[in-house]
Structures are given as C-alpha cells and as structure tokens.
C-alpha cells in the first residue's frame, strides 16, 4: 500500500506479503532467503525434536527422489540410522548377550536367597559388577528410538512429498494407516470395520518382529510383573501403530529386522569367543 503526505509531498510505502500454498520446506526456505524472513520454515510444525525432524525431512526427501520411491527411501534411511547408532547398539547387545549367559547363575542366586530380597539384590549387583555387565543396557536402544520415532512421525505427517506416496502391495498412501484388518481376514470377509479395529498386515508384521527380537533378549529376572509388562509391549505397540502412518510402521518393522540380524550375529560371535576361551 502507498500513501502520500499532503504537507511534505513525501511518499511512504508499506508492503504486506501473503503466502498461499502447501507448506513445502523448500518453498518456505526459498522465500525466507528471497525476502529476508527469519525462521519462515517454522510455519511448519516440526515438533519438540525439530533438530532431528528437519534433517530427517531433508534426507528422506533426497532419498525418495533419488530412488524414485519414498518407501525405499525409508528403508535406506533406517539402514543409515542403524549404521550411525551401531557402536552404542553393539555395546548394548554384547552386554545383553552376557546377561543371557548369566541367567543360570542368577536363577541359583534367587533360589538360594529367596527369603532375603535385600541380600539377593546386593549379591546380584556384585555379580553384575564382577562380570562387567550393565543390566539396564537393553533400555539404551529403546531410549534412542523414542526421539527418532517422534521425529519420523512428524516427517510423515508434514512432508507433502509423502502424501499419497505408495509402497509395494496394498499401501497406496504411506502417510495413512494400513487400510487392511486382520479382523475381516484382510478383506476376504465383506465387512466394513470402524477405524479403531483396523489392525493391518504391516502392524502385525511389526508386532511379530518386535516379539521375535524380545525373545532374543534375556528376560527380567528380579520382577515377574516387569517381565509380564515387557511381554505385553509387542501387543500394545501393534495396536498403537495400527493407527499410525504406514510409513512409520514400515520403518519400525525394518528396524526390528535389522536389530534381530544384529543380535543374532553378536550372539554367534560371543558363542565363538566363549568356545575359544574354554
């Protein structure tokens, strides 16, 4: 808008710009540079873990365009994440493998000190210290997964390129939940089910892979309630992720499969090492 001051004859100009369109990060960044608008890309809700969401968004977009499939981009992205977190995962997996070896000794200790829980816990901590095993090491990969999970969920929610992006088979849009449901035998029974009853094939694969990975880990020995809660987690996550974007479920399933392969390899190497030691 322009205005003319009648007394002095001077002109003043006030420019208001309006952006109308999809919140595509590249477009927002281009306009931010062109018109000197700081933090214009924050018009997109990147969430609490924006410092992870932004690079994840750029990397997934690059991989999706390069490979011609955003589903394959998610798979390669998962492999890259596994490589980056490999040192910490290897350390955790070695410690968990040692925990599994100590199960018979722990069981004997629990039976011997069944009536003295304080003494039992003290001797168990001494055992872990003597064997250089961290009983909480199995939680480390899960703690790493939490910010990655929420950041990837945000990416799949805000990335326009992923809208209506198909994957192989029945997944026509990876930003939406798996449309199939085990309760109607994946469409063989012509019954329309409410959304909250859609537990699709991909969530079931994810739950099975999570259960298989959990079986490879030593179960909690000090608390039966904790062990039961851990056993229930795959079923809880299966239902939760059945309502989440299919791309996120594909990522989680592939991550579990890579974790199973990694754990199997580590257990095999540890078994060979013990054989040589004996």
């Amino acid at each position: 808008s322009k205005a003319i001051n009648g007394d002095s004859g001077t002109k003043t100009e006030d420019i208001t710009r309006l952006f109308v369109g999809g919140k595509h990060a590249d477009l927002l960044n281009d306009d931010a540079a062109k018109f000197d608008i700081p933090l214009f890309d924050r018009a997109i809700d990147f969430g609490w873990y924006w410092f992870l969401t932004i690079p994840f968004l750029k990397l997934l977009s690059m991989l999706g365009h390069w490979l011609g499939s955003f589903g394959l981009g998610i798979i390669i992205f998962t492999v890259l994440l596994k490589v980056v977190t490999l040192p910490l995962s290897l350390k955790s997996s070695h410690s968990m493998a040692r925990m599994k070896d100590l199960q018979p000794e722990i069981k004997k200790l629990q039976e011997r000190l069944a009536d003295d829980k304080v003494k039992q816990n003290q001797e168990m901590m001494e055992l872990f210290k003597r064997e250089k095993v961290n009983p909480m090491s199995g939680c480390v990969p899960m703690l790493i997964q939490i910010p990655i999970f929420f950041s990837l969920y945000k990416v799949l929610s805000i990335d326009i390129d992923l809208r209506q992006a198909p994957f192989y088979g029945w997944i026509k849009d990876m930003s939406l939940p798996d449309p199939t449901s085990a309760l109607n035998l994946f469409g063989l029974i012509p019954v329309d089910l409410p959304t909250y009853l859609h537990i699709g094939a991909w969530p079931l694969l994810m739950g099975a892979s999570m259960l298989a990975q959990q079986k490879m880990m030593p179960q909690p020995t000090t608390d039966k309630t904790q062990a039961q809660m851990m056993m229930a987690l795959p079923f809880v996550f299966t239902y939760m992720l059945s309502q989440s974007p299919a791309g996120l479920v594909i990522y989680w399933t592939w991550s579990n499969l890579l974790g199973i392969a990694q754990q199997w390899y580590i257990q095999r190497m540890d078994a060979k090492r013990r054989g040589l030691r004996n």
Side-chain angles (χ1 to χ4, degrees), residues 55-152:
F56 284 0
L57 178 63
K58 292 180 179 178
L59 181 57
L60 267 178
S61 181
M62 181 186 70
L63 289 172
H65 285 103
W66 180 53
L67 296 170
S69 168
F70 284 96
L72 292 178
I74 289 174
I75 290 175
I76 299 300
F77 174 81
T78 309
V79 174
L80 293 176
L81 281 179
K82 282 292 183 181
V83 171
V84 171
T85 59
L86 185 61
L88 189 58
S89 296
L90 285 176
K91 184 176 180 180
S92 174
S93 297
H94 278 300
S95 183
M96 292 301 291
R98 289 288 297 121
M99 277 288 293
K100 197 168 186 177
D101 294 338
L102 292 175
Q103 292 297 316
E105 193 169 346
I106 291 174
K107 189 174 181 180
K108 291 179 181 178
L109 191 152
Q110 289 176 327
E111 292 174 351
R112 181 167 54 87
L113 298 173
D115 298 328
D116 191 345
K117 295 295 183 181
V118 176
K119 183 67 173 178
Q120 180 187 122
N121 290 331
Q122 288 177 347
E123 292 206 14
M124 200 172 295
M125 290 300 105
E126 287 295 325
L127 174 64
F128 293 151
K129 185 177 180 180
R130 184 170 64 252
E131 297 293 336
K132 299 180 180 179
V133 173
N134 182 2
M136 300 301 295
S137 59
C139 299
V140 175
M142 183 61 71
L143 292 176
I144 296 174
Q145 286 275 28
I146 290 173
I148 292 175
F149 175 88
F150 283 109
S151 298
L152 191 58

Side-chain angles (χ1 to χ4, degrees), residues 219-220 223-233:
Q219 301 304 308
D223 192 341
K224 291 184 178 180
T225 302
Q226 183 184 359
Q228 292 172 352
M229 290 178 61
M230 292 296 293
M231 287 300 296
L233 279 180

